[in-house]
Amino acid sequence: MAPTSHKTPPPELDTAADRSSAAPPTMPSFDDSHRTTDELLHLADAHLFKNYRPASVVFVRGQGSTLEDTEGRKYLDFAAGVAVNALGHAHPRLVRAISEQAARLMHVSNYFFNEENVLLAAELCERTGFDRAFFCNSGGEANEAMLKLARRHFYAKGDKSRYRVIAFENSFHGRTIATVNLTGTPAYREGFGPVLEGVTHVPYGDLDAVSAAMGPDVCGIFVETVQGEGGVLPAPPGFLAGLRALADEHGSLLLVDEVQTGMGRTGSLLGFERSGIRPDAISLAKGLGGGFPIGAMLVPERLGGALPPGTHGSTFGGNPLASAAARAVLAALYDDKLIEGARAKGAILGKRLAEIAAKHPDLCEGERGEGLLRGLIMKKGVDGRAALATVREEGVLLTVAGGRVLRFTPPLIITEAEIEDACVRVDRAISKLRIESIAAG
Ligand code: PLP
């Protein structure tokens, strides 16, 4: 799948005639006539809020693990919408579930039950061993729910001073005001007002530091099983078990953020499963809807009443359309053995990334990760974003985590041949990066 040249767009996507007859970029006519890449980029520049820094690529369609842009260029999608598109793009089962549900019932609100949501809750509980599910629309919201759950649980028991949360340096839990305060990188909360009271950050992996920070005022320990955004850092062996023991010793809850690690990505349905522990609550999003927005918090029965009616909710949470999408994803994960596949294919990807790192010791430090959540660690001083752009020029989409880790989160339907193809391209991109850095002196 050699990327098509920018200069030879396929006629159905972009023609000179289109360009000459099109309206000026900042004055769109609201019809459905085709727009060129330049026009779209101009409109984006003029009208989209500037809180992101996207590459100058506009995508128009996807199929399997491949995305296609307005210029007809095809890319192997090893970003998968930041660990979201578990079934890749245009997966027939997901497309059918969403289309049929959209034609049947899209939204009713939480004043009533809806069939798809009730079934999703039951299926998720059956698969995970939790008893109750709260639904929302994103990972940040799922984590907000988990924080509210922990505080409100103790409040309801009369323990009103138990509101402090232990969270970890380098963690990522979302962009809402509460979740940037849980997030362990201070830059994410800079300028957003007073720090949320009652969050203590300690180094990830350091049980002594957690132990020292614990106390009778701690309601919960908030942790990722692999720090995804922080640079694909798996929890050290024994860390999650140690947290479980500390939470039990001090009577607090263990709250696991499975937004990035959940839904099979790390080679088990949930990231914590291989550690032998059970958290008191987990948050899910990303892969849960396979690209359709949905988040969830799962809890055991004993916490099922911690947020009674009136204390929490979401207008769109648990809507039939999102629920149908998540049911289709869950079914495909098991029917198509995608979780075992993530483990096996993750091992193959990890081995290839280790080979690439060994081949470029001047630019790469190594690889790490679990299942299909993996990182190629670049050396200090390598500009992660520049590396990303070079890899993209070779037709592979990745993301950067922790500043200098090239993060690989392909769809779980990725094939071994696609992994090999992507690795050949990444290897070539890194060679190019070296030549460019030598040229730059
Ligand atoms: N938690 C983790 C571990 C994440 O990786 C993310 C997003 O990257 C979030 C929470 C926030 O999810 P969302 O962007 O859906 O709010």
Side-chain angles (χ1 to χ4, degrees):
M1 186 195 17
T4 318
S5 159
H6 275 245
K7 295 189 184 74
T8 54
E12 79 273 18
L13 288 177
D14 185 8
T15 66
D18 282 342
R19 272 195 297 275
S20 59
S21 62
T26 50
M27 292 179 62
S29 59
F30 294 98
D31 59 23
D32 57 4
S33 62
H34 176 68
R35 300 204 170 273
T36 66
T37 307
D38 279 352
E39 285 175 321
L40 290 168
L41 291 176
H42 272 103
L43 289 170
D45 190 49
H47 299 296
L48 280 176
F49 199 76
K50 294 203 176 264
N51 60 317
Y52 301 114
R53 201 169 23 190
S56 297
V57 181
V58 185
F59 286 115
V60 286
R61 60 177 71 88
Q63 186 65 54
S65 298
T66 300
L67 274 176
E68 184 177 328
D69 71 12
T70 38
E71 303 285 310
R73 269 186 64 130
K74 289 182 176 170
Y75 302 78
L76 274 170
D77 186 10
F78 274 61
V82 197
V84 165
N85 303 90
L87 306 187
H89 302 281
H91 189 285
R93 190 167 193 163
L94 185 54
V95 170
R96 196 178 332 114
I98 292 173
S99 327
E100 289 179 2
Q101 190 58 44
R104 193 159 49 236
L105 183 66
M106 221 185 291
H107 180 78
V108 289
S109 89
N110 289 297
Y111 282 96
F112 310 95
F113 296 113
N114 75 76
E115 184 181 15
E116 287 299 310
N117 190 236
V118 170
L119 293 175
L120 173 63
E123 287 163 4
L124 272 177
C125 288
E126 170 78 24
R127 290 292 188 189
T128 61
F130 288 97
D131 298 310
R132 295 192 179 273
F134 163 78
F135 291 103
C136 49
N137 314 286
S138 68
E141 284 174 79
N143 285 333
E144 286 269 351
M146 218 157 49
L147 175 61
K148 286 179 77 173
L149 171 99
R151 287 187 168 175
R152 185 75 192 201
H153 168 66
F154 290 107
Y155 176 92
K157 293 206 311 185
D159 198 350
K160 293 184 184 160
S161 60
R162 201 184 258 277
Y163 62 85
R164 194 157 59 87
V165 177
I166 306 294
F168 292 95
E169 291 171 7
N170 203 45
S171 62
F172 186 82
H173 298 294
R175 297 287 196 163
T176 65
I177 287 285
T179 56
V180 289
N181 278 277
L182 291 172
T183 290
T185 305
Y188 286 116
R189 52 181 169 274
E190 193 183 330
F192 294 117
V195 166
L196 185 75
E197 208 189 316
V199 182
T200 305
H201 288 103
V202 296
Y204 190 63
D206 187 342
L207 285 173
D208 290 339
V210 180
S211 178
M214 291 301 284
D217 59 342
V218 173
C219 66
I221 302 174
F222 226 99
V223 68
E224 296 158 272
T225 67
V226 178
Q227 287 191 325
E229 298 304 307
V232 193
L233 284 149
F239 183 54
L240 295 174
L243 293 182
R244 179 69 274 174
L246 283 169
D248 291 344
E249 184 190 333
H250 293 271
S252 89
L253 302 178
L254 180 61
L255 312 164
V256 175
D257 178 342
E258 293 270 8
V259 167
Q260 190 156 154
T261 50
M263 303 312 290
R265 174 140 309 272
T266 61
S268 48
L269 179 63
L270 302 168
F272 75 79
E273 283 173 4
R274 290 183 314 284
S275 69
I277 60 130
R278 275 207 76 78
D280 296 300
I282 64 163
S283 54
L284 289 171
K286 289 197 184 278
L288 179 59
F292 200 92
I294 178 168
M297 170 180 70
L298 304 183
V299 300
E301 188 59 40
R302 76 194 136 77
L303 292 175
L307 293 170
T311 60
H312 197 53
S314 159
T315 295
F316 295 119
N319 70 74
L321 195 51
S323 301
R327 289 189 69 208
V329 170
L330 196 59
L333 287 186
Y334 286 94
D335 290 352
D336 302 342
K337 303 209 173 349
L338 295 179
I339 302 175
E340 295 93 314
R343 212 176 309 142
K345 288 180 281 189
I348 293 168
L349 176 59
K351 185 167 166 286
R352 286 295 282 118
L353 295 182
E355 286 167 9
I356 293 172
K359 189 174 160 193
H360 303 280
D362 50 334
L363 292 173
C364 303
E365 234 172 70
E367 79 85 36
R368 64 183 171 227
E370 286 181 4
L372 286 173
L373 171 54
R374 308 208 79 89
L376 178 63
I377 310 149
M378 306 306 285
K379 282 241 153 113
K380 278 203 181 80
V382 175
D383 177 351
R385 290 184 63 82
L388 205 64
T390 311
V391 170
R392 193 171 59 245
E393 280 161 23
E394 289 293 330
V396 179
L397 301 176
L398 301 176
T399 49
V400 168
R404 61 185 172 101
V405 176
L406 297 184
R407 179 174 42 176
F408 294 67
T409 53
L412 306 191
I413 55 145
I414 198 83
T415 65
E416 288 182 33
E418 286 167 331
I419 290 175
E420 182 51 32
D421 189 359
C423 287
V424 167
R425 290 161 188 263
V426 169
D427 185 3
R428 201 158 56 217
I430 292 176
S431 300
K432 228 161 102 182
L433 208 60
R434 179 190 300 109
I435 292 164
E436 280 162 13
S437 67
I438 292 169

